[in-house]
Amino acid sequence: MKHEQVKAAVLVAPKKMETRTFPTPEITKDSGLVRMLGSGICGTDKHVYTQGEIRLGLPGDVVRLPIIMGHENLGVIEEIGSEAAKAMVMEGPPLEVGERVYIAADIKCGHCYNCRNIYGFPWCLNHTSYGDVISCDTPPHLFGGYSEKMYLLPKSDLFRVPKSLPNEIALLSEQMAVAYGAFGRAYQSPITKEGLSPGDSVVIQGVGPLGLCNALMARMLGAGKIIAVDKSEYRLRLARELCSAEVISLNEHPKYSDRVARVNTLTDNIGADLVIECTGDPGVMSEGLDMLRIGGTYLVEGAYVEDADTRISPSRQILAKNARIIGVSGMPHQAYGRVLKMMDAYRAIIHFERMITHQFDVEEATRAIEISMSPDSGKVALGSMK
Ligand SMILES: [Zn+2]
Ligand SMILES: [Zn+2]
């Protein structure tokens, strides 16, 4: 049992994945091991897959190859150290072997300036994360979710999954938590009444998995009109069916000015209260700002990897509009616990599980990631999900 080999998908060079085997890690009192149920393929992983050792959105984060990707991780505790069982769980009693958990994507030190002083988005100065910055050449190797098992580093934050919540829904927790954190920051300023209020209009630029999670969060938080903008008819259909979104197709409206005009029409010529960038393409920022009403809020969530420049007019699009622009990377860890409860509460009326459109085993990682990059996919899961 101890010396069992673990299969994992390893990115060895850009666009080159192979299946490798690793020894089962020995755990200490502060660490643990999960058997993976599934790992979601994220937009970040697509950039890493195509470009290799890139710099990511957080200070100091550089991808190191060879790597086992995967930071949207759902698993079952297989072994847990005596201290880790108490220290890693964010709510409730100590963790036990056999429990189903969602693992926060990043790990904080708890004592740097940011951890101690900046509430909500500490972005620990000494943070590390699963699935991108620690090479699998470093023992005990299993630091990403595209694997049969994953090592739980000391200071990981873990969340019990409600018993009634299916794996297909729980897998969405990381991106739902990003949306939760983002909406938390968009909420109203009590003085100026900017930000999100119930009934507000929300435009989502790009309804891939992250955009869909934002649309679902907008729906749960009481948004009024949700408007999805995308070039994929497949994804627009998901947005329409899952969140009753109005849709603006780039095929039908290839011109920027037509899409802005369409948002104006749908919002009674006011513009959207909230616009959310989830495309990963900084080039859409100007259009997003033009869709925004005066005093509106723009959340930039998708442009995680620096790979293009954009031109905006600060005078016309930001200053004259009194726009609030909020950059979103990651979320406060408490968000994971909250979204697990929200999805459990809403699963009878919102079909979250339909967002998972494909599932592949670890050996099929290349195929899985290629499909996740196609416009005809929602969230792609790697792992047996059982
Ligand atoms: Zn992600
Ligand atoms: Zn820290």
Side-chain angles (χ1 to χ4, degrees):
M1 178 75 184
K2 251 319 193 211
H3 302 288
E4 197 181 302
Q5 295 288 300
V6 178
K7 256 186 262 172
V10 176
L11 182 73
V12 294
K15 295 196 172 177
K16 190 166 187 305
M17 303 261 272
E18 55 188 47
T19 306
R20 288 192 187 171
T21 55
F22 297 91
T24 299
E26 298 286 336
I27 68 149
T28 63
K29 66 181 190 344
D30 299 312
S31 63
L33 186 71
V34 288
R35 176 175 68 78
M36 293 301 298
L37 290 166
S39 187
I41 295 182
C42 175
T44 308
D45 301 341
K46 302 169 196 175
H47 288 290
V48 173
Y49 174 72
T50 48
Q51 297 170 64
E53 295 193 325
I54 47 171
R55 191 175 68 71
L56 299 173
L58 302 180
D61 276 2
V62 178
V63 176
R64 297 281 175 232
L65 299 185
I67 193 134
I68 303 169
M69 293 191 285
H71 58 267
E72 300 181 0
N73 297 324
L74 175 68
V76 174
I77 304 266
E78 196 164 277
E79 281 183 72
I80 186 103
S82 55
E83 291 302 317
K86 291 176 269 179
M88 288 187 188
V89 67
M90 290 286 281
E91 288 181 46
L95 291 163
E96 289 178 28
V97 168
E99 286 199 283
R100 199 161 55 123
V101 288
Y102 201 90
I103 301 128
D106 64 295
I107 297 149
K108 298 177 288 191
C109 76
H111 52 73
C112 69
Y113 179 86
N114 287 5
C115 280
R116 283 174 177 268
N117 294 285
I118 302 178
Y119 176 76
F121 285 77
W123 285 134
C124 172
L125 298 168
N126 311 310
H127 75 272
T128 188
S129 50
Y130 288 109
D132 44 35
V133 294
I134 319 174
S135 165
C136 64
D137 279 348
T138 309
H141 316 293
L142 304 177
F143 304 113
Y146 292 9
S147 175
E148 293 174 324
K149 293 182 186 180
M150 195 172 85
Y151 179 70
L152 295 173
L153 286 153
K155 297 192 175 176
S156 294
D157 285 336
L158 267 54
F159 299 82
R160 269 191 187 84
V161 177
K163 289 208 165 38
S164 47
L165 195 67
N167 291 336
E168 289 71 22
I169 301 181
L171 190 80
L172 301 169
S173 298
E174 199 259 355
Q175 285 193 314
M176 289 301 290
V178 172
Y180 180 97
F183 277 84
R185 296 176 67 204
Y187 263 106
Q188 275 201 348
S189 147
I191 299 171
T192 61
K193 304 291 182 204
E194 296 167 303
L196 181 75
S197 302
D200 273 0
S201 55
V202 179
V203 168
I204 299 175
Q205 297 179 285
V207 280
L210 181 65
L212 276 175
C213 282
N214 274 271
L216 292 166
M217 186 57 66
R219 188 49 81 219
M220 287 190 282
L221 293 176
K225 199 163 278 180
I226 297 174
I227 304 165
V229 186
D230 207 297
K231 59 178 184 293
S232 160
E233 301 299 332
Y234 180 96
R235 290 177 168 178
L236 289 171
R237 195 177 65 241
L238 268 178
R240 198 188 296 116
E241 291 174 3
L242 285 177
C243 334
S244 317
E246 303 268 359
V247 301
I248 301 177
S249 159
L250 267 68
N251 307 311
E252 212 175 308
H253 300 282
K255 272 171 63 186
Y256 170 143
S257 55
D258 287 350
R259 297 192 290 272
V260 173
R262 185 81 193 114
V263 167
N264 257 312
T265 308
L266 290 168
T267 57
D268 302 322
N269 292 317
I270 302 294
D273 297 300
L274 181 67
V275 178
I276 310 178
E277 179 279 313
C278 292
T279 63
D281 173 8
V284 306
M285 266 194 82
S286 178
E287 180 173 333
L289 286 165
D290 279 344
M291 289 170 171
L292 202 61
R293 70 158 161 85
I294 287 183
T297 300
Y298 191 35
L299 295 173
V300 181
E301 288 184 34
Y304 197 65
V305 174
E306 205 173 11
D307 59 358
D309 284 326
T310 187
R311 261 188 90 82
I312 54 177
S313 157
S315 159
R316 181 178 66 82
Q317 293 178 300
I318 301 176
L319 184 148
K321 242 183 189 180
N322 280 285
R324 293 164 89 211
I325 303 179
I326 301 177
V328 176
S329 63
M331 73 304 274
H333 280 191
Q334 292 77 4
Y336 288 97
R338 293 294 181 276
V339 301
L340 283 163
K341 292 181 179 112
M342 287 175 85
M343 293 192 292
D344 199 31
Y346 277 88
R347 73 193 155 76
I349 46 176
I350 297 179
H351 298 290
F352 299 97
E353 68 284 356
R354 288 196 47 209
M355 265 195 65
I356 311 277
T357 56
H358 299 78
Q359 178 268 322
F360 294 96
D361 290 335
V362 167
E363 294 92 325
E364 304 169 291
T366 302
R367 185 132 175 266
I369 205 155
E370 294 286 347
I371 286 188
S372 79
M373 290 193 286
S374 127
D376 292 340
S377 64
K379 173 61 75 185
V380 179
L382 203 64
S384 70
M385 300 293 277
K386 288 196 281 284

